[in-house]
Amino acid sequence: MPSDLATAAFCLLMLTLLRMSVYFGMAKVEQAEAERHVASAHKVTHDSLAPTYTYDGEVIRWYVLVDPDTDVQYLVNDRGGCCPRLNVDGTTMGVRHD
């Protein structure tokens, strides 16, 4: 029969090992998440703008979508509206001139 001191030391050792494995496991998950975030940062396909509120309090969210072929930017809302985004002078924003 082990002594109470040996049992307590064994329990503390097991708790320490458990805490270390959780700590290193979480560190590995955080590192993988950071790498995935860096990789996805280069794949921006749309940008969220400020929401619009209707008279009855509904929210309409706006996004900027970029056509990858022409670089033309489009304003799109979550209700299906879509139009080209324009510069101050009225020209289409983001047009690529090859």
Side-chain angles (χ1 to χ4, degrees):
M1 185 88 176
S3 70
D4 291 338
L5 181 62
T7 304
F10 179 75
C11 289
L12 286 174
L13 177 65
M14 289 294 115
L15 284 174
T16 303
L17 289 174
L18 178 65
R19 289 181 71 192
M20 287 176 55
S21 64
V22 168
Y23 174 78
F24 288 119
M26 290 300 293
K28 190 170 185 171
V29 167
E30 287 176 5
Q31 180 183 6
E33 202 170 289
E35 290 172 357
R36 187 173 62 237
H37 178 69
V38 168
S40 69
H42 301 290
K43 296 181 179 181
V44 175
T45 57
H46 72 277
D47 186 18
S48 178
L49 300 174
T52 302
Y53 298 94
T54 61
Y55 66 92
D56 59 353
E58 286 191 63
V59 179
I60 301 174
R61 302 210 182 276
W62 291 89
Y63 303 93
V64 176
L65 296 177
V66 180
D67 181 352
D69 296 330
T70 62
D71 285 338
V72 173
Q73 297 181 12
Y74 293 93
L75 293 175
V76 181
N77 66 50
D78 57 0
R79 292 192 175 185
C82 179
C83 69
R85 190 174 184 196
L86 302 178
N87 292 315
V88 176
D89 61 359
T91 58
T92 305
M93 188 177 285
V95 174
R96 185 184 331 157
H97 300 285
D98 292 337

